[in-house]
Amino acid sequence: MDEIELQNKKINILFVDDEQNILDGIKRLLRDKKDKWNLEFFTDAELAKEKIFESNYDIVVSDVKMPGINGLQLLEKVKLHLNEKSPEFIMITGVNDKELKHCALNLDATDLLNKPIQREDLLARLNNAIRLKSFKDEICTQNIMLEQQLIQSQKMEVIGLMTSGVAHDFNNILTVISNYNQLLEMLGQDNPAIKARTEKIQTASGHGQKIIQQILNFVKKKDTTFEKVSLNGLIAESVDLLKITLSKKIDINYSLPEDSLFIMADYTQVFQIIMNLCLNAAKAMNNDGRINISLLNNQIEPDLSTAKSWTLLEVSDNGPGMDEEFMKRIINNMSSIKRSQEGTGLGLSIVQKIIKNHSGSLIISSNPGNGTTFKIFFPLHQN
Ligand SMILES: Nc1ncnc2c1ncn2[C@@H]1O[C@H](COP(=O)(O)OP(=O)(O)OP(=O)(O)O)[C@@H](O)[C@H]1O
Ligand SMILES: [Mg+2]
């Protein structure tokens, strides 16, 4: 039978039976499992209970009839105390202990093991319990993650509201500046020195208004709407916004093909991809390094051998990179993963989801010390 693993860690199993010779027998039966399983044996049920409460066992195999606290009481106390973190319980009973068996199962024991204990029987039941425990642990992790995501998205909603409020006020302020500036321009019509300055003010406030509009568009939009989007325009616009968002020590550049490349996309979501990737790169580089965005036409997507034409959007940095193990986790695992304490570890899984929604695909290439490149393929929109 295949070995089952619990999130790549050694499996911890506690055995408790007041008869030392039973424990010795089990020890002998499981001699060849010592590398994969961490086995601990107790003859004192009270002591075993304490160990279960303070440690993190995956499985407990317990006799029923023991002096002091018996197996059923032990099971009941542990389930009550540890809830969903409780280990799986396998109760050792005699073949004919029908009453005890019913009691154990009613108290949420995972399985029963008949005396005398046979190796095949023991292994099968332990493997089943490990499988169940692994499944429950996974669900527990998923729940924690979903909870974090919920909190995060609620926070984003608040930030969105605040941002649009602030952006709205700034927009009004800029309108006032712009109006007075136009007045000044009229008053100073014959003065070239004033004219040159008012033109500068006009350009700067126009630029400010454009940025505010971009922020408002980004924050406001909720529903996905696919339209024909020029990636050239989108990249230029996101870099505009990134230049004011990122540290001045980040050198961010882009190169675009002469003719605009179009895709069918939700503008805001693709914008979000670029934002996420660049913010990640900046964070990984400690706000000091280079980011390049490039757009290429007619690339072949290696994984999909369709005749479609693809555009290739590449975001690369010269930061610390990632090792293969870490990248595999990012690619295979849509769930949250992060190394830093900041952030929620959601950015890349959202990026992957958006790419998938756009029938695109993603290739990450990276080496520790040699930077990271994200290659995103989108189906080209043919005119
Ligand atoms: N360009 C990069 N270079 C090096 N490591 C990176 C790069 N991009 C992402 N990573 C690593 O991948 C992890 C996951 O990124 P992700 O965007 O999913 O989460 P986060 O940035 O930690 O949090 P969030 O984006 O939700 O605020 C990052 O914490 C970082 O360790
Ligand atoms: Mg991120």
Side-chain angles (χ1 to χ4, degrees):
M1 175 178 292
D2 282 353
E3 292 293 350
I4 298 136
E5 290 185 355
L6 282 180
Q7 299 176 344
N8 299 324
K9 74 173 171 69
K10 226 174 165 180
I11 291 155
N12 294 307
I13 311 176
L14 179 146
F15 296 85
V16 52
D17 196 312
D18 57 320
E19 288 178 62
Q20 184 66 47
N21 63 330
I22 300 249
L23 294 180
D24 290 342
I26 295 176
K27 231 181 258 183
R28 267 195 306 279
L29 294 178
L30 298 178
R31 220 175 358 217
D32 59 334
K33 296 287 174 191
K34 274 194 291 212
D35 292 345
K36 296 239 162 197
W37 296 351
N38 178 31
L39 310 172
E40 290 178 33
F41 299 87
F42 290 84
T43 45
D44 182 336
E46 219 25 91
L47 195 63
K49 188 188 88 186
E50 263 153 45
K51 283 290 284 182
I52 296 169
F53 280 178
E54 74 195 27
S55 314
N56 213 348
Y57 293 101
D58 302 301
I59 298 169
V60 170
V61 181
S62 170
D63 189 19
V64 177
K65 290 176 195 150
M66 294 183 285
I69 168 174
N70 73 39
L72 296 178
Q73 290 167 323
L74 179 67
L75 167 64
E76 194 173 15
K77 286 208 161 89
V78 170
K79 291 277 167 182
L80 203 69
H81 198 267
L82 295 179
N83 292 316
E84 77 271 23
K85 291 215 172 77
S86 164
E88 297 306 315
F89 259 78
I90 300 175
M91 305 303 293
I92 308 173
T93 55
V95 187
N96 297 318
D97 294 337
K98 276 213 174 114
E99 189 69 23
L100 281 182
K101 288 181 179 184
H102 286 156
C103 269
L105 292 175
N106 280 336
L107 288 171
D108 202 19
T110 305
D111 209 345
L112 305 164
L113 188 62
N114 282 332
K115 277 195 237 182
I117 299 169
Q118 310 284 332
R119 180 177 147 88
E120 286 314 309
D121 201 23
L122 175 64
L123 284 181
R125 280 162 212 280
L126 283 175
N127 276 323
N128 262 339
I130 293 169
R131 216 172 282 133
L132 188 65
K133 175 75 174 147
S134 137
F135 182 65
K136 285 185 187 169
D137 283 356
E138 178 62 29
I139 290 184
C140 222
T141 316
Q142 296 273 352
N143 277 347
I144 293 170
M145 229 178 64
L146 284 175
E147 212 165 83
Q148 280 178 353
Q149 292 184 359
L150 194 70
I151 293 170
Q152 182 65 8
S153 70
Q154 211 277 334
K155 193 168 113 193
M156 293 310 288
E157 207 167 316
V158 173
I159 291 176
L161 280 174
M162 275 163 42
T163 310
S164 44
V166 171
H168 190 258
D169 284 356
F170 263 84
N171 204 26
N172 287 345
I173 294 167
L174 282 175
T175 309
V176 174
I177 292 175
S178 167
N179 287 347
Y180 275 107
N181 188 51
Q182 279 164 25
L183 218 63
L184 269 183
E185 203 173 352
M186 265 158 39
L187 292 173
Q189 253 175 15
D190 307 325
N191 186 334
I194 292 182
K195 195 161 189 283
R197 267 102 181 154
T198 49
E199 264 171 23
K200 286 219 162 73
I201 296 175
Q202 206 51 38
T203 312
S205 65
H207 189 55
Q209 275 169 322
K210 197 173 147 212
I211 290 169
I212 285 169
Q213 204 46 55
Q214 284 169 358
I215 295 174
L216 283 174
N217 289 345
F218 185 64
V219 171
K220 262 188 203 154
K221 236 199 74 199
K222 288 214 170 77
D223 307 328
T224 313
T225 38
F226 280 77
E227 56 191 343
K228 190 176 155 192
V229 167
S230 152
L231 277 178
N232 297 51
L234 190 148
I235 291 169
E237 231 179 76
S238 25
V239 172
D240 267 357
L241 200 57
L242 280 162
K243 278 196 169 142
I244 48 167
T245 312
L246 299 177
S247 150
K248 294 287 167 275
K249 280 195 274 179
I250 295 274
D251 180 18
I252 179 166
N253 291 296
Y254 61 88
S255 65
L256 304 173
E258 239 168 67
D259 293 331
S260 270
L261 296 184
F262 292 93
I263 59 171
M264 282 308 283
D266 181 292
Y267 191 94
T268 314
Q269 287 184 7
V270 180
F271 198 83
Q272 200 176 346
I273 293 180
I274 297 179
M275 286 290 162
N276 267 328
L277 294 183
C278 292
L279 291 176
N280 274 352
K283 198 158 60 172
M285 296 191 294
N286 256 326
N287 289 321
D288 193 354
R290 266 200 323 275
I291 300 176
N292 269 304
I293 303 179
S294 70
L295 181 63
L296 295 162
N297 189 10
N298 268 330
Q299 299 296 306
I300 306 294
E301 205 291 321
D303 284 347
L304 305 167
S305 50
T306 54
K308 254 191 221 164
S309 291
W310 299 84
T311 60
L312 168 57
L313 167 63
E314 238 180 61
V315 179
S316 57
D317 65 62
N318 65 342
M322 298 177 251
D323 60 35
E324 204 161 323
E325 187 60 28
F326 192 78
M327 266 192 308
K328 255 193 220 147
R329 280 172 58 203
I330 290 181
I331 295 163
N332 297 333
N333 191 350
M334 298 281 280
S335 65
S336 152
I337 140 168
K338 61 172 179 171
R339 277 182 300 197
S340 63
Q341 289 307 305
E342 306 149 41
T344 53
L346 282 178
L348 287 180
S349 67
I350 290 171
V351 165
Q352 296 192 75
K353 272 179 204 142
I354 296 177
I355 294 172
K356 207 168 149 222
N357 285 348
H358 284 77
S359 311
S361 89
L362 169 71
I363 296 175
I364 311 174
S365 39
S366 183
N367 266 315
N370 282 325
T372 306
T373 300
F374 287 83
K375 292 184 179 194
I376 301 163
F377 295 85
F378 289 118
L380 181 71
H381 177 79
Q382 315 277 8
N383 287 314

